[in-house]
Structures are given as structure tokens and as C-alpha cells.
Amino acid sequence: MTLALEVKNVIKSFQSDSGEIRAVDDVSFAVEAGEFVALVGPSGSGKTTMLSILAALLSPTSGQILIDGVDLANMSEAERVALRREKIGFTFQSNNLIPYLTALENVQLMLRLNQRFDRAGAVRSAELLSRLGLGERLNNLPAQMSGGQQQRVAIARALIHNPTVVLADEPTASLDTERAFQVVQTFAALIHENNRAGIMVTHDLRMCQYVDRVLQMRDGKLVKIFTSREEILQLAKGE
Amino acid sequence: MNNLSLATYLSWQEVWRNRGRFFLVSLVIALITLLVLFIAALGEGLGNANSQYISRINADLLVYLEKSDFIIPSSRVERSTVRSIRRLDGVQDAGGISTSSVAILLPDDEVLKVSLIGVEPGKPGDPAVTEGRNLAGEQSKEAVIDLNVIQRSDVRVGDLITIRATQGTKDEFFTLRVVGSTEGQLYSFQPSIFVPYGTWDRVRAKSDAELDSPSSTVNVVAISLSDVSAAQTVSDALTARIDNVEVADLQTAVENVPGYSAQQSTVQTQAVFTLLIGVLVIGGFFQIQILQKVPQIGVLKAIGADNFTVGMAAVIQIIITTTLGVAIGSSLAFIFSLTFPPTVPIVFNGLNSAIAIAALLLIGPAGGLVSIFYAVRIEPLKALRLS
Ligand SMILES: Nc1ncnc2c1ncn2[C@@H]1O[C@H](COP(=O)(O)OP(=O)(O)OP(=O)(O)O)[C@@H](O)[C@H]1O
Ligand SMILES: [Mg+2]
């Protein structure tokens, strides 16, 4: 298997009034194509910061990030923008969608950004949304959809352009448990089918039952990695 | 180029899906447009009413009494001076112009106040006629009237009109035959009637002191030049060779028609302030809108839209809104203008309206400038941190 993403000794510190905060403290890990990983940890442990660095939205203080073997550190701002639209798929906790575009248009936007929007892309976008159970909602605006439906549109948008890495920040935070399970399950299936590298930040350990690996952070450090199926299921059951 | 089409796509989708809101802003711009165009047209109309005759005169220079500050009614130039001017090199022809104010008696005891302008037939200052014939003879009892007189009364070419002028302490009445009409000859906020100089001196309003002796002066002298590019040379020669005169080009002459400049600057100030209000209204709207849009712009940037696309989308949106507003406003102004009678001093002249419309099209981008910069500077990280 090829490594889609490599993180080597990444440190991110912020200056604040009370001194220096190490939001991410010497974290290293790698994710393969076709692997779905959960990033868990208490509030303030550095999960969102880590995700922002992986998405090239934030530069690390030190350390290396490689996506498809390419180091983010040496990139110009324009190259980072290009990387974000070509190699990364992103879902945010809320405010995910562009409010004046329909579900279908939000997904197609990713193709337009990459100048890859054509008839086939339009068909694929609709198919992907149907796959996520939104076949009846293609022409709805975000305001006409529930939180869970919006999350699923965001997931479709994060996948449609075949990115190397798919990053999801708390995709289930605004959903009830039943919906949350559904969304994560479909998400996991799509990651696996399309051979993407997926990283999902979550507060909700129960969601971990659908992932291949769990990275646990505390105080900016990567304190534990759960790899075996039993360990992960135990964690998911809260034992 | 592709970024431009993406920006166009995004801005158009946003405007279309929020068409109610954007249309309201366009309507505000339309109202501002209407107001600005009317102010501009009023300025043009008032300016015309005061100085149209001078601005359209068939001459290149006007000669005034020295130190008259180019004020036509207070200038006096001897008739003999007109003849001297005519003999100067570079002067093609010259004609004296005298102004006064009289009333035309209309049926039903109505009167129409008009500017009575004495000219030398065939000389500069004598307007071209559009119907009938030009004036002839120094003393003939005939008049050429402005189209505006025809629009405001039943007087037609060929009619006899009765003029009432105050001479000394008495009202005197004179009868003149209308031999021709001319157009666009408002002066001193009145339509004009033109008469030969001799006739003018008989029928004009006079003070007691002027009653007995015929006038030997005109107010100003209109000069046409053999070579227009030599205006400065002729003007210099004139002031050097002829005593007690000063020379103005037509623009200076118009600007110094009493009241003209004061009125124009008042009107222009109003137009500028209205435009400023427009800039503030548009600026406020787009700024508030951008503040509301920080998360979605953050998302756009986080998923890989570059600054050009985001900034351009904002620009195109502003252009769409402004253009629509200006188009609606101009159409309304045009439709309203058709309903005005000729007595209302509102004139939509191509140039003034064009300047106003250009200024109006600029107020959108000017007002939205801050919001555009703001949009470009929104950090993509906002998409995560606000979530
Ligand atoms: N821009 C910043 N400036 C200063 N400190 C920051 C900044 N961003 C994050 N931090 C700090 O870094 C630490 C990690 O924050 P981060 O948002 O990554 O945590 P998190 O694991 O996502 O928490 P949560 O589960 O609550 O979302 C926190 O202590 C936070 O206060
Ligand atoms: Mg977080």
C-alpha cells in the first residue's frame, strides 16, 4: 500500500499572554490510501489544529507533512491553494455548504474549482449524492435540508474530485446518534471503495467502530494508537 | 480566464438565489440614479434658461466694457466702437447686442415676460431662423421669436404682437410683426424675442433719464473670427487697440451670466452629495453582507478557491446590482422626462446625463471597495474556527 499522508515530528506552537502553547507537540503518523482513521482526544488536545495543518491551512512550527510524497513546507501560497482543491477533501463541523448553491451544485463546485466540470462529472455528482441517500434532494438549497443531509452533501463534496486525503472535522457533532452512525458508516464505505485516505476528528468514541485505526491525542501529543479491531471496538463501547 | 467564469458563476448564483434582497438594493440605486439625473437635468435646465442664447450664439468672442466683470447688463459699449472692432485684423464680423425685458400681451389679459434682445440683422448675435425669415432693416417693426414663446402662447410666425414696456413711469405699447422663429434662445430665465437695434431702442424698458435721447450704446459686441485658432491674438489686439473694453470667450461669457455660476455650483454640490450618499448606502450594504458571509467565504477558500475568484465574485455582484439599478433609474428618469411641459427647466442633455450615469456606475464599486478587500483578506482557517 502507498502512503497517502505522512506526518513527521510536527510541532505547532502558539504565542499567548500566558506564554507558549504547544497545540501540537511532536506528532508523527502515516495514513495509507484506503485507510479510514479517527482522531480523538479531549477538548483542546490539538485535533482541529492538526487537521488544519494537514489541510495546508496552517503551517507547522516545525516538522514535515507529505501528501502523495510531496512536502507541504516548500510550497508557495498559490501551490497550497491548488493542493487544497486538488488533493484534499474537507468537511467542516458546520457552515459547510455554500448557502446559495443547491446540494448538487455544492458538490459540482469542487469539480468547477478544478476545472474538471463536465457532463460526466455532473452525472457522477448526482450518483454520489443518491448513494448518500440524497437522490430526492439534489436541487434543495442548504437551508432546505436537515443538518444530517447537509453533512452528507459535504461528504460528497469532499470525495467527488478524487482527493488523496479526506479530512472531516466532527462530521457528526450536530447529528442525533442514529443519523451520526448512518453518516459515518457511509463515509467509511466510500473511503474504502474509492481508496482514499480518510481522517475524521470526533468527540464521540462510538463512531470509532467504523474506522481502521484510532489516534488518541492529549495536550498536543499523540498518546495512543489503537490498531486492533478488538481494541477499537472496546473503545467504541466505552470500556 | 477560467477563474473569471467561476467567479461569474458564483456571483450570478448568489444574486439569483437572493434576488429579492439584491433587487431591493438595485431599487435603492435606481432611486439615487433618478435623483442624481434629475439634479443634473435641473442644473442643465436652469443653466439653459439663464444663458442658452449666449452659449449658442453664432460668435467666437464677446466684447464688454472694461471692468464690467463680464456682466452683460452692466456693460456698455459705444456703437462707434462696434464699427472700429469690425475693421480689426482677424475679425470677420461684429454685431452689437442689447438686452432688456418686456412683456408680450396675450389674449385674456395674460402677459408673457420675454427677454428683448436687440441685434444687428445679419451680424453676429442675430440668431438663425428655423421658420419664416431673418430680421431686416435697422428700424423695422418686426421680431424673430424663440420657439419657447410659441410653446407658451398662441403667437405664431406672421402674427402681430403687442409689446408692453415700462418707459419712465409709464407703460408704453408697441406692435411688432413676427417674421420668423428661432429655437433654443432662452436668456435670463425668459424666452427671447429678437428685434433690430433701432427698434430695440424704441420699445425697450427705459428709465426717466433715458427717455429723450436715443441710446448710443449696446451692451456687448459679438465677434466672429476669420480664424478661430487666432482667438487669443485677436483678443489681445482688441484690448490693445480699443479703449475701455475687455474680451471674453463664450465659456467665460456664459459663466458670468448673472446667477449662472452660483446656481451651477449649488446644483453640482447637491449631485455630489447625493452620489456620496449612494456610495455610503452601497458600501454599508455590501460591508454588512460580507460580514455575514465570512464563514462561507472561508469555506470557499478552504476548499481551494483563490483570492482572485473570491474578490472577482464580489466585484461582479456589485457590478450586476449597480448596473441594474442605474438602468432602472435611467429608464424611470427618461419616462418621467417625457411628461414635463417645456416650461419646467429640466433638460436631459446627453453629456450631463452621461457624466451622471458614469458617476453612478462607479458608486457601486467605490462603495463596495472596502468589502471587496475584506472578502479577499478573509482567512480560509475561518471556515474551521467558526465551526
Ligand atoms: N490561533 C490560536 N492561537 C492561540 N492558541 C490556539 C490557537 N488555535 C488553537 N489554540 C490552542 O491550541 C490548543 C488546541 O486547540 P484545538 O482547537 O486544536 O483543540 P481541539 O482538540 O480541536 O479541541 P476541541 O475538541 O474542543 O475542538 C488549545 O489549547 C487552543 O486554545
Ligand atoms: Mg476542534
Side-chain angles (χ1 to χ4, degrees), chain B residues 312-347:
Chain B
M312 211 50 208
V315 172
I316 293 171
Q317 214 167 65
I318 292 173
I319 292 176
I320 292 175
T321 320
T322 316
T323 310
L324 181 66
V326 171
I328 296 173
S330 316
S331 314
L332 286 180
F334 178 71
I335 291 167
F336 284 160
S337 74
L338 296 180
T339 67
F340 288 131
T343 45
V344 175
I346 284 191
V347 174

PDB file of all heavy atoms in Angstrom, chain B residues 312-347:
ATOM      1  N   MET B 312     -13.198  38.639  -7.308  1.00  0.00           N
ATOM      2  CA  MET B 312     -13.895  38.918  -8.559  1.00  0.00           C
ATOM      3  C   MET B 312     -15.394  38.650  -8.411  1.00  0.00           C
ATOM      4  O   MET B 312     -16.212  39.394  -8.952  1.00  0.00           O
ATOM      5  CB  MET B 312     -13.298  38.010  -9.645  1.00  0.00           C
ATOM      6  CG  MET B 312     -13.319  38.615 -11.015  1.00  0.00           C
ATOM      7  SD  MET B 312     -12.636  40.269 -11.020  1.00  0.00           S
ATOM      8  CE  MET B 312     -13.524  40.927 -12.395  1.00  0.00           C
ATOM      9  N   ALA B 313     -15.735  37.585  -7.677  1.00  0.00           N
ATOM     10  CA  ALA B 313     -17.153  37.279  -7.461  1.00  0.00           C
ATOM     11  C   ALA B 313     -17.827  38.461  -6.763  1.00  0.00           C
ATOM     12  O   ALA B 313     -18.935  38.863  -7.138  1.00  0.00           O
ATOM     13  CB  ALA B 313     -17.304  36.008  -6.635  1.00  0.00           C
ATOM     14  N   ALA B 314     -17.134  39.047  -5.780  1.00  0.00           N
ATOM     15  CA  ALA B 314     -17.698  40.201  -5.076  1.00  0.00           C
ATOM     16  C   ALA B 314     -17.853  41.381  -6.036  1.00  0.00           C
ATOM     17  O   ALA B 314     -18.883  42.068  -6.042  1.00  0.00           O
ATOM     18  CB  ALA B 314     -16.808  40.570  -3.895  1.00  0.00           C
ATOM     19  N   VAL B 315     -16.831  41.600  -6.871  1.00  0.00           N
ATOM     20  CA  VAL B 315     -16.873  42.724  -7.812  1.00  0.00           C
ATOM     21  C   VAL B 315     -18.040  42.557  -8.798  1.00  0.00           C
ATOM     22  O   VAL B 315     -18.828  43.479  -9.032  1.00  0.00           O
ATOM     23  CB  VAL B 315     -15.541  42.835  -8.596  1.00  0.00           C
ATOM     24  CG1 VAL B 315     -15.655  43.858  -9.703  1.00  0.00           C
ATOM     25  CG2 VAL B 315     -14.407  43.184  -7.657  1.00  0.00           C
ATOM     26  N   ILE B 316     -18.161  41.354  -9.357  1.00  0.00           N
ATOM     27  CA  ILE B 316     -19.191  41.122 -10.374  1.00  0.00           C
ATOM     28  C   ILE B 316     -20.580  41.334  -9.776  1.00  0.00           C
ATOM     29  O   ILE B 316     -21.460  41.935 -10.402  1.00  0.00           O
ATOM     30  CB  ILE B 316     -19.052  39.698 -10.963  1.00  0.00           C
ATOM     31  CG1 ILE B 316     -17.746  39.606 -11.752  1.00  0.00           C
ATOM     32  CG2 ILE B 316     -20.239  39.367 -11.866  1.00  0.00           C
ATOM     33  CD1 ILE B 316     -17.402  38.207 -12.202  1.00  0.00           C
ATOM     34  N   GLN B 317     -20.729  40.857  -8.543  1.00  0.00           N
ATOM     35  CA  GLN B 317     -22.012  41.037  -7.861  1.00  0.00           C
ATOM     36  C   GLN B 317     -22.378  42.515  -7.727  1.00  0.00           C
ATOM     37  O   GLN B 317     -23.507  42.922  -7.992  1.00  0.00           O
ATOM     38  CB  GLN B 317     -21.835  40.481  -6.464  1.00  0.00           C
ATOM     39  CG  GLN B 317     -23.034  39.847  -5.915  1.00  0.00           C
ATOM     40  CD  GLN B 317     -22.629  39.084  -4.691  1.00  0.00           C
ATOM     41  OE1 GLN B 317     -22.212  39.684  -3.711  1.00  0.00           O
ATOM     42  NE2 GLN B 317     -22.729  37.780  -4.758  1.00  0.00           N
ATOM     43  N   ILE B 318     -21.390  43.302  -7.337  1.00  0.00           N
ATOM     44  CA  ILE B 318     -21.621  44.732  -7.165  1.00  0.00           C
ATOM     45  C   ILE B 318     -21.957  45.359  -8.521  1.00  0.00           C
ATOM     46  O   ILE B 318     -22.867  46.184  -8.639  1.00  0.00           O
ATOM     47  CB  ILE B 318     -20.382  45.399  -6.528  1.00  0.00           C
ATOM     48  CG1 ILE B 318     -20.248  44.910  -5.083  1.00  0.00           C
ATOM     49  CG2 ILE B 318     -20.492  46.910  -6.591  1.00  0.00           C
ATOM     50  CD1 ILE B 318     -18.979  45.349  -4.402  1.00  0.00           C
ATOM     51  N   ILE B 319     -21.232  44.919  -9.549  1.00  0.00           N
ATOM     52  CA  ILE B 319     -21.484  45.475 -10.881  1.00  0.00           C
ATOM     53  C   ILE B 319     -22.898  45.116 -11.355  1.00  0.00           C
ATOM     54  O   ILE B 319     -23.627  45.967 -11.871  1.00  0.00           O
ATOM     55  CB  ILE B 319     -20.419  44.983 -11.892  1.00  0.00           C
ATOM     56  CG1 ILE B 319     -19.076  45.611 -11.522  1.00  0.00           C
ATOM     57  CG2 ILE B 319     -20.810  45.343 -13.320  1.00  0.00           C
ATOM     58  CD1 ILE B 319     -17.921  45.141 -12.379  1.00  0.00           C
ATOM     59  N   ILE B 320     -23.307  43.870 -11.129  1.00  0.00           N
ATOM     60  CA  ILE B 320     -24.657  43.457 -11.539  1.00  0.00           C
ATOM     61  C   ILE B 320     -25.700  44.339 -10.848  1.00  0.00           C
ATOM     62  O   ILE B 320     -26.590  44.901 -11.493  1.00  0.00           O
ATOM     63  CB  ILE B 320     -24.919  41.969 -11.175  1.00  0.00           C
ATOM     64  CG1 ILE B 320     -24.052  41.043 -12.020  1.00  0.00           C
ATOM     65  CG2 ILE B 320     -26.396  41.625 -11.360  1.00  0.00           C
ATOM     66  CD1 ILE B 320     -24.157  39.568 -11.627  1.00  0.00           C
ATOM     67  N   THR B 321     -25.547  44.472  -9.522  1.00  0.00           N
ATOM     68  CA  THR B 321     -26.531  45.225  -8.743  1.00  0.00           C
ATOM     69  C   THR B 321     -26.576  46.692  -9.180  1.00  0.00           C
ATOM     70  O   THR B 321     -27.656  47.261  -9.390  1.00  0.00           O
ATOM     71  CB  THR B 321     -26.173  45.170  -7.249  1.00  0.00           C
ATOM     72  OG1 THR B 321     -25.720  43.857  -6.940  1.00  0.00           O
ATOM     73  CG2 THR B 321     -27.351  45.514  -6.388  1.00  0.00           C
ATOM     74  N   THR B 322     -25.396  47.288  -9.327  1.00  0.00           N
ATOM     75  CA  THR B 322     -25.339  48.704  -9.687  1.00  0.00           C
ATOM     76  C   THR B 322     -25.884  48.932 -11.089  1.00  0.00           C
ATOM     77  O   THR B 322     -26.677  49.853 -11.316  1.00  0.00           O
ATOM     78  CB  THR B 322     -23.881  49.214  -9.632  1.00  0.00           C
ATOM     79  OG1 THR B 322     -23.262  48.713  -8.460  1.00  0.00           O
ATOM     80  CG2 THR B 322     -23.840  50.720  -9.624  1.00  0.00           C
ATOM     81  N   THR B 323     -25.462  48.084 -12.027  1.00  0.00           N
ATOM     82  CA  THR B 323     -25.888  48.281 -13.407  1.00  0.00           C
ATOM     83  C   THR B 323     -27.401  48.176 -13.526  1.00  0.00           C
ATOM     84  O   THR B 323     -28.049  48.999 -14.179  1.00  0.00           O
ATOM     85  CB  THR B 323     -25.217  47.244 -14.325  1.00  0.00           C
ATOM     86  OG1 THR B 323     -23.825  47.245 -14.048  1.00  0.00           O
ATOM     87  CG2 THR B 323     -25.456  47.566 -15.778  1.00  0.00           C
ATOM     88  N   LEU B 324     -27.953  47.173 -12.844  1.00  0.00           N
ATOM     89  CA  LEU B 324     -29.404  47.012 -12.882  1.00  0.00           C
ATOM     90  C   LEU B 324     -30.084  48.257 -12.301  1.00  0.00           C
ATOM     91  O   LEU B 324     -31.026  48.795 -12.897  1.00  0.00           O
ATOM     92  CB  LEU B 324     -29.809  45.764 -12.083  1.00  0.00           C
ATOM     93  CG  LEU B 324     -31.303  45.483 -12.061  1.00  0.00           C
ATOM     94  CD1 LEU B 324     -31.779  45.138 -13.466  1.00  0.00           C
ATOM     95  CD2 LEU B 324     -31.631  44.339 -11.098  1.00  0.00           C
ATOM     96  N   GLY B 325     -29.569  48.716 -11.156  1.00  0.00           N
ATOM     97  CA  GLY B 325     -30.155  49.886 -10.511  1.00  0.00           C
ATOM     98  C   GLY B 325     -30.086  51.116 -11.403  1.00  0.00           C
ATOM     99  O   GLY B 325     -31.074  51.844 -11.570  1.00  0.00           O
ATOM    100  N   VAL B 326     -28.919  51.349 -11.995  1.00  0.00           N
ATOM    101  CA  VAL B 326     -28.746  52.526 -12.849  1.00  0.00           C
ATOM    102  C   VAL B 326     -29.657  52.417 -14.081  1.00  0.00           C
ATOM    103  O   VAL B 326     -30.260  53.398 -14.512  1.00  0.00           O
ATOM    104  CB  VAL B 326     -27.267  52.698 -13.248  1.00  0.00           C
ATOM    105  CG1 VAL B 326     -27.106  53.777 -14.306  1.00  0.00           C
ATOM    106  CG2 VAL B 326     -26.433  53.043 -12.018  1.00  0.00           C
ATOM    107  N   ALA B 327     -29.774  51.191 -14.614  1.00  0.00           N
ATOM    108  CA  ALA B 327     -30.639  51.005 -15.790  1.00  0.00           C
ATOM    109  C   ALA B 327     -32.094  51.328 -15.438  1.00  0.00           C
ATOM    110  O   ALA B 327     -32.769  52.055 -16.181  1.00  0.00           O
ATOM    111  CB  ALA B 327     -30.526  49.571 -16.305  1.00  0.00           C
ATOM    112  N   ILE B 328     -32.546  50.810 -14.299  1.00  0.00           N
ATOM    113  CA  ILE B 328     -33.931  51.082 -13.892  1.00  0.00           C
ATOM    114  C   ILE B 328     -34.120  52.581 -13.668  1.00  0.00           C
ATOM    115  O   ILE B 328     -35.073  53.194 -14.165  1.00  0.00           O
ATOM    116  CB  ILE B 328     -34.294  50.312 -12.606  1.00  0.00           C
ATOM    117  CG1 ILE B 328     -34.248  48.803 -12.863  1.00  0.00           C
ATOM    118  CG2 ILE B 328     -35.680  50.711 -12.097  1.00  0.00           C
ATOM    119  CD1 ILE B 328     -34.438  47.969 -11.613  1.00  0.00           C
ATOM    120  N   GLY B 329     -33.187  53.181 -12.913  1.00  0.00           N
ATOM    121  CA  GLY B 329     -33.286  54.600 -12.588  1.00  0.00           C
ATOM    122  C   GLY B 329     -33.279  55.475 -13.833  1.00  0.00           C
ATOM    123  O   GLY B 329     -34.070  56.419 -13.956  1.00  0.00           O
ATOM    124  N   SER B 330     -32.385  55.159 -14.797  1.00  0.00           N
ATOM    125  CA  SER B 330     -32.318  55.983 -16.007  1.00  0.00           C
ATOM    126  C   SER B 330     -33.599  55.851 -16.817  1.00  0.00           C
ATOM    127  O   SER B 330     -34.096  56.842 -17.371  1.00  0.00           O
ATOM    128  CB  SER B 330     -31.144  55.561 -16.893  1.00  0.00           C
ATOM    129  OG  SER B 330     -30.005  55.344 -16.119  1.00  0.00           O
ATOM    130  N   SER B 331     -34.130  54.612 -16.875  1.00  0.00           N
ATOM    131  CA  SER B 331     -35.368  54.434 -17.636  1.00  0.00           C
ATOM    132  C   SER B 331     -36.497  55.233 -17.007  1.00  0.00           C
ATOM    133  O   SER B 331     -37.262  55.903 -17.711  1.00  0.00           O
ATOM    134  CB  SER B 331     -35.769  52.957 -17.681  1.00  0.00           C
ATOM    135  OG  SER B 331     -34.661  52.161 -17.982  1.00  0.00           O
ATOM    136  N   LEU B 332     -36.585  55.172 -15.682  1.00  0.00           N
ATOM    137  CA  LEU B 332     -37.622  55.945 -14.988  1.00  0.00           C
ATOM    138  C   LEU B 332     -37.457  57.430 -15.276  1.00  0.00           C
ATOM    139  O   LEU B 332     -38.419  58.138 -15.577  1.00  0.00           O
ATOM    140  CB  LEU B 332     -37.555  55.698 -13.481  1.00  0.00           C
ATOM    141  CG  LEU B 332     -38.072  54.344 -12.998  1.00  0.00           C
ATOM    142  CD1 LEU B 332     -37.956  54.232 -11.484  1.00  0.00           C
ATOM    143  CD2 LEU B 332     -39.518  54.153 -13.429  1.00  0.00           C
ATOM    144  N   ALA B 333     -36.208  57.901 -15.179  1.00  0.00           N
ATOM    145  CA  ALA B 333     -35.948  59.318 -15.421  1.00  0.00           C
ATOM    146  C   ALA B 333     -36.389  59.697 -16.830  1.00  0.00           C
ATOM    147  O   ALA B 333     -37.007  60.736 -17.054  1.00  0.00           O
ATOM    148  CB  ALA B 333     -34.464  59.614 -15.224  1.00  0.00           C
ATOM    149  N   PHE B 334     -36.072  58.816 -17.787  1.00  0.00           N
ATOM    150  CA  PHE B 334     -36.439  59.100 -19.172  1.00  0.00           C
ATOM    151  C   PHE B 334     -37.963  59.156 -19.324  1.00  0.00           C
ATOM    152  O   PHE B 334     -38.501  60.096 -19.926  1.00  0.00           O
ATOM    153  CB  PHE B 334     -35.854  58.031 -20.097  1.00  0.00           C
ATOM    154  CG  PHE B 334     -36.234  58.230 -21.537  1.00  0.00           C
ATOM    155  CD1 PHE B 334     -35.687  59.285 -22.261  1.00  0.00           C
ATOM    156  CD2 PHE B 334     -37.149  57.388 -22.146  1.00  0.00           C
ATOM    157  CE1 PHE B 334     -36.043  59.489 -23.577  1.00  0.00           C
ATOM    158  CE2 PHE B 334     -37.513  57.580 -23.465  1.00  0.00           C
ATOM    159  CZ  PHE B 334     -36.961  58.640 -24.186  1.00  0.00           C
ATOM    160  N   ILE B 335     -38.642  58.172 -18.727  1.00  0.00           N
ATOM    161  CA  ILE B 335     -40.104  58.139 -18.847  1.00  0.00           C
ATOM    162  C   ILE B 335     -40.722  59.391 -18.209  1.00  0.00           C
ATOM    163  O   ILE B 335     -41.583  60.042 -18.801  1.00  0.00           O
ATOM    164  CB  ILE B 335     -40.665  56.860 -18.185  1.00  0.00           C
ATOM    165  CG1 ILE B 335     -40.250  55.640 -19.017  1.00  0.00           C
ATOM    166  CG2 ILE B 335     -42.179  56.922 -18.063  1.00  0.00           C
ATOM    167  CD1 ILE B 335     -40.458  54.317 -18.317  1.00  0.00           C
ATOM    168  N   PHE B 336     -40.232  59.759 -17.019  1.00  0.00           N
ATOM    169  CA  PHE B 336     -40.756  60.955 -16.353  1.00  0.00           C
ATOM    170  C   PHE B 336     -40.518  62.206 -17.189  1.00  0.00           C
ATOM    171  O   PHE B 336     -41.354  63.091 -17.267  1.00  0.00           O
ATOM    172  CB  PHE B 336     -40.106  61.147 -14.979  1.00  0.00           C
ATOM    173  CG  PHE B 336     -40.634  60.200 -13.947  1.00  0.00           C
ATOM    174  CD1 PHE B 336     -39.919  59.938 -12.795  1.00  0.00           C
ATOM    175  CD2 PHE B 336     -41.862  59.564 -14.119  1.00  0.00           C
ATOM    176  CE1 PHE B 336     -40.404  59.052 -11.842  1.00  0.00           C
ATOM    177  CE2 PHE B 336     -42.354  58.682 -13.174  1.00  0.00           C
ATOM    178  CZ  PHE B 336     -41.626  58.428 -12.039  1.00  0.00           C
ATOM    179  N   SER B 337     -39.328  62.255 -17.809  1.00  0.00           N
ATOM    180  CA  SER B 337     -38.967  63.480 -18.530  1.00  0.00           C
ATOM    181  C   SER B 337     -39.926  63.735 -19.690  1.00  0.00           C
ATOM    182  O   SER B 337     -40.138  64.873 -20.091  1.00  0.00           O
ATOM    183  CB  SER B 337     -37.534  63.385 -19.041  1.00  0.00           C
ATOM    184  OG  SER B 337     -37.478  62.504 -20.144  1.00  0.00           O
ATOM    185  N   LEU B 338     -40.512  62.661 -20.216  1.00  0.00           N
ATOM    186  CA  LEU B 338     -41.443  62.830 -21.335  1.00  0.00           C
ATOM    187  C   LEU B 338     -42.719  63.544 -20.905  1.00  0.00           C
ATOM    188  O   LEU B 338     -43.434  64.106 -21.729  1.00  0.00           O
ATOM    189  CB  LEU B 338     -41.807  61.463 -21.926  1.00  0.00           C
ATOM    190  CG  LEU B 338     -40.653  60.680 -22.548  1.00  0.00           C
ATOM    191  CD1 LEU B 338     -41.135  59.347 -23.087  1.00  0.00           C
ATOM    192  CD2 LEU B 338     -39.995  61.495 -23.657  1.00  0.00           C
ATOM    193  N   THR B 339     -43.000  63.504 -19.600  1.00  0.00           N
ATOM    194  CA  THR B 339     -44.250  64.081 -19.123  1.00  0.00           C
ATOM    195  C   THR B 339     -44.114  65.552 -18.745  1.00  0.00           C
ATOM    196  O   THR B 339     -45.083  66.172 -18.353  1.00  0.00           O
ATOM    197  CB  THR B 339     -44.761  63.313 -17.894  1.00  0.00           C
ATOM    198  OG1 THR B 339     -43.839  63.545 -16.813  1.00  0.00           O
ATOM    199  CG2 THR B 339     -44.857  61.825 -18.165  1.00  0.00           C
ATOM    200  N   PHE B 340     -42.908  66.117 -18.845  1.00  0.00           N
ATOM    201  CA  PHE B 340     -42.740  67.512 -18.417  1.00  0.00           C
ATOM    202  C   PHE B 340     -43.120  68.503 -19.501  1.00  0.00           C
ATOM    203  O   PHE B 340     -42.746  68.323 -20.657  1.00  0.00           O
ATOM    204  CB  PHE B 340     -41.294  67.790 -18.013  1.00  0.00           C
ATOM    205  CG  PHE B 340     -40.923  67.146 -16.729  1.00  0.00           C
ATOM    206  CD1 PHE B 340     -39.768  66.411 -16.614  1.00  0.00           C
ATOM    207  CD2 PHE B 340     -41.745  67.276 -15.613  1.00  0.00           C
ATOM    208  CE1 PHE B 340     -39.434  65.804 -15.423  1.00  0.00           C
ATOM    209  CE2 PHE B 340     -41.418  66.680 -14.420  1.00  0.00           C
ATOM    210  CZ  PHE B 340     -40.266  65.935 -14.331  1.00  0.00           C
ATOM    211  N   PRO B 341     -43.837  69.565 -19.136  1.00  0.00           N
ATOM    212  CA  PRO B 341     -44.093  70.634 -20.107  1.00  0.00           C
ATOM    213  C   PRO B 341     -42.803  71.429 -20.351  1.00  0.00           C
ATOM    214  O   PRO B 341     -41.888  71.367 -19.533  1.00  0.00           O
ATOM    215  CB  PRO B 341     -45.139  71.507 -19.398  1.00  0.00           C
ATOM    216  CG  PRO B 341     -44.952  71.236 -17.949  1.00  0.00           C
ATOM    217  CD  PRO B 341     -44.441  69.831 -17.832  1.00  0.00           C
ATOM    218  N   PRO B 342     -42.739  72.165 -21.479  1.00  0.00           N
ATOM    219  CA  PRO B 342     -41.497  72.863 -21.821  1.00  0.00           C
ATOM    220  C   PRO B 342     -41.120  73.951 -20.821  1.00  0.00           C
ATOM    221  O   PRO B 342     -39.979  74.394 -20.794  1.00  0.00           O
ATOM    222  CB  PRO B 342     -41.798  73.467 -23.197  1.00  0.00           C
ATOM    223  CG  PRO B 342     -43.282  73.478 -23.305  1.00  0.00           C
ATOM    224  CD  PRO B 342     -43.770  72.341 -22.501  1.00  0.00           C
ATOM    225  N   THR B 343     -42.076  74.355 -19.987  1.00  0.00           N
ATOM    226  CA  THR B 343     -41.773  75.433 -19.038  1.00  0.00           C
ATOM    227  C   THR B 343     -40.959  74.938 -17.862  1.00  0.00           C
ATOM    228  O   THR B 343     -40.381  75.721 -17.125  1.00  0.00           O
ATOM    229  CB  THR B 343     -43.081  76.045 -18.518  1.00  0.00           C
ATOM    230  OG1 THR B 343     -43.968  74.981 -18.195  1.00  0.00           O
ATOM    231  CG2 THR B 343     -43.709  76.948 -19.548  1.00  0.00           C
ATOM    232  N   VAL B 344     -40.933  73.608 -17.611  1.00  0.00           N
ATOM    233  CA  VAL B 344     -40.141  73.090 -16.485  1.00  0.00           C
ATOM    234  C   VAL B 344     -38.669  73.065 -16.892  1.00  0.00           C
ATOM    235  O   VAL B 344     -38.321  72.498 -17.923  1.00  0.00           O
ATOM    236  CB  VAL B 344     -40.613  71.672 -16.108  1.00  0.00           C
ATOM    237  CG1 VAL B 344     -39.733  71.083 -15.025  1.00  0.00           C
ATOM    238  CG2 VAL B 344     -42.057  71.716 -15.661  1.00  0.00           C
ATOM    239  N   PRO B 345     -37.831  73.720 -16.113  1.00  0.00           N
ATOM    240  CA  PRO B 345     -36.427  73.831 -16.532  1.00  0.00           C
ATOM    241  C   PRO B 345     -35.643  72.557 -16.253  1.00  0.00           C
ATOM    242  O   PRO B 345     -34.691  72.544 -15.499  1.00  0.00           O
ATOM    243  CB  PRO B 345     -35.903  74.994 -15.698  1.00  0.00           C
ATOM    244  CG  PRO B 345     -36.705  74.933 -14.450  1.00  0.00           C
ATOM    245  CD  PRO B 345     -38.060  74.406 -14.839  1.00  0.00           C
ATOM    246  N   ILE B 346     -36.084  71.433 -16.830  1.00  0.00           N
ATOM    247  CA  ILE B 346     -35.343  70.191 -16.665  1.00  0.00           C
ATOM    248  C   ILE B 346     -34.985  69.691 -18.045  1.00  0.00           C
ATOM    249  O   ILE B 346     -35.843  69.476 -18.883  1.00  0.00           O
ATOM    250  CB  ILE B 346     -36.194  69.168 -15.891  1.00  0.00           C
ATOM    251  CG1 ILE B 346     -36.184  69.567 -14.422  1.00  0.00           C
ATOM    252  CG2 ILE B 346     -35.705  67.764 -16.110  1.00  0.00           C
ATOM    253  CD1 ILE B 346     -36.755  68.544 -13.484  1.00  0.00           C
ATOM    254  N   VAL B 347     -33.692  69.576 -18.293  1.00  0.00           N
ATOM    255  CA  VAL B 347     -33.232  69.216 -19.623  1.00  0.00           C
ATOM    256  C   VAL B 347     -32.280  68.046 -19.517  1.00  0.00           C
ATOM    257  O   VAL B 347     -31.249  68.132 -18.859  1.00  0.00           O
ATOM    258  CB  VAL B 347     -32.510  70.416 -20.283  1.00  0.00           C
ATOM    259  CG1 VAL B 347     -31.913  69.981 -21.619  1.00  0.00           C
ATOM    260  CG2 VAL B 347     -33.471  71.570 -20.482  1.00  0.00           C
TER     261      VAL B 347
END
